Amino acid sequence: MPGRINQYDDVPVTKEDLDWAELITLDLGLYQQPGGKQQLVKQLDHAVRHVGFFYVKNFNITPEEVNRQFALGREFYALPLEEKLKFHNEDDLRSGEYNGYRPAGLRTIGNGVKDNIQVYNIPKFDGHHNRSHPAILQDNIQEIEEFSRKCHDEVVVKLLRLFAILLELEDEDQLVKDHLYDVKGEDHLRYMHYKAREAEENKKVADLYGAGHTDLGTVTLLFRQPVAALQILNSEGQWKWVKPQDATITINTCDALTALTGGLIKSSIHRVHAPPADQAHLDRLGLLYFARPNNHVVLDPIPNSPLLQRLGLTANAFTELGQHLTTEQWVKARQSQQQRDKVEAKISQEGKYEYKEKDLEILPGLHARYYN
């Protein structure tokens, strides 16, 4: 039986006047209304082509359900390290298996500073990822599965239909059929914990918890996080802070969707900055859902999109190398590169991260990028 877990309460938002990004908010309450989807697509068009970030509201997941997941994440990270390490396997990480626990400090970022990020990934409940979990999560696993499925059904599926309309696909469900929850795939729910650092240590890594990067799937859902840290690179090449908006989910579009759309939909570039001064002492707890195409889906540009055909977007970074990767192949290659032992980055005072080229190789001819 699930045990009693204390309520999760948000910390206060920052009072600092930060350089906030201007992002659109999609009201999914319009989705079922006449003409609602077309209205949402008009809003979405500019955001996904130029920024890759937006908010959604009215998504049929209650604040109580969201806060319950934050509470479960909090309770997990409060466990003794030796208990959490029972769910960590370093060999699995290096081979591209990323579910379960990843402790902080596995990687030296640069200038002798180790990473401050703990991750616990729970794969979607499609029958292909049977794993044990610590008791605090296992005792609540039915609730976690219901939340995971709601992320997919109430948010991801609706966005996929909007993307299909944007691409002028005849079948509004074409992308949905490539992202079925109960078909084998790499979607997962994540509890993420960033430990606060001392200012002197942050300075050694250009005040960053994570350098600029893109995510590798279709879309990422980030539930409201009051500790300001997320920044996006806008179309003018400027880093802007992402403001925590009440009752919203922050969405970013990712590499697999960029590949499927021949580059039309931007894979958003983002990073995690040390929080502002009035929140610098706070640890940061994140709740995210990562959606990806089913494992068998080939990540070639969608051939029957009239829009892509008109724009001549019929190739991507994979096909230009003669590669026709499935999602499963892409995820394994990218995750293996991310978890591979690397020489620590050379970090300039301006915050430029430089790695050796061999450490960034995903496939012959294809390298990961870190954005400065």
Side-chain angles (χ1 to χ4, degrees), residues 5 12 24 46 85 117 151 163 177 239 256 267 290 296 325 335 343 349:
I5 295 174
I24 66 159
H46 182 271
L85 285 174
I117 304 168
C151 289
F163 293 143
K177 292 171 184 174
W239 289 104
S267 189
F290 295 85
H296 67 275
L325 299 180
Q335 290 287 355
V343 176
Q349 288 186 334

Side-chain angles (χ1 to χ4, degrees), residues 240-256:
K240 301 280 187 177
W241 295 80
V242 177
K243 192 170 190 175
Q245 301 277 19
D246 289 342
T248 65
I249 305 172
T250 305
I251 309 289
N252 64 278
T253 48
C254 313
D255 295 345

